[in-house]
Amino acid sequence: QVQLVESGGGSVQAGGSLRLSCAGSGYTDGLYCMAWFRQAPGKEREGVAGFENIGTTTYTDSVKGRFTISKDDAKNTVYLQMNSLKPEDTAMYYCAARRCFSWAQFNPLTRNNFNYWGQGTQVTVSS
């Protein structure tokens, strides 16, 4: 069973930075694709950044140029570097994973495309 554990959340002022980490375990053989989602109070969970099956990255428009997703395959860890944070970035951030295949494209910002989720880490940005 795949397990994902997020860390790195916290409270920062606008313009500050945070780096989130997601450590995965329980992977079986095969390719897994990872992504970050977030959910603010009263809002739907939205995709923030993710890896597609061929390793390219995708970002939602509101974070382009400010957030960077990366991974360390040796550590089974994915990161989300968040710079120039804004109050509207305040949310619970979730790591997600799924089996993926090099021959099958999918949208890594769509919630229903993922079946493994972490418990989340809170990010609060004050103005």
Side-chain angles (χ1 to χ4, degrees), residues 24-95:
S25 62
Y27 294 122
T28 59
D29 288 342
L31 179 66
Y32 284 81
C33 291
M34 310 290 292
W36 286 96
F37 287 73
R38 66 186 179 187
Q39 188 166 16
K43 294 188 176 182
E44 295 285 323
R45 190 172 298 189
E46 65 166 348
V48 175
F51 285 99
E52 298 181 21
N53 59 329
I54 55 174
T56 56
T57 53
T58 300
Y59 297 89
T60 192
D61 286 347
S62 63
V63 308
K64 286 180 181 177
R66 300 188 299 122
F67 290 12
T68 302
I69 189 172
S70 62
K71 59 179 178 171
D72 185 333
D73 290 333
K75 296 181 179 180
N76 285 333
T77 300
V78 63
Y79 305 96
L80 185 67
Q81 178 67 43
M82 305 185 295
N83 299 328
S84 302
L85 282 161
K86 304 175 181 180
E88 50 264 43
D89 294 318
T90 295
M92 185 71 79
Y93 283 71
Y94 297 91
C95 177

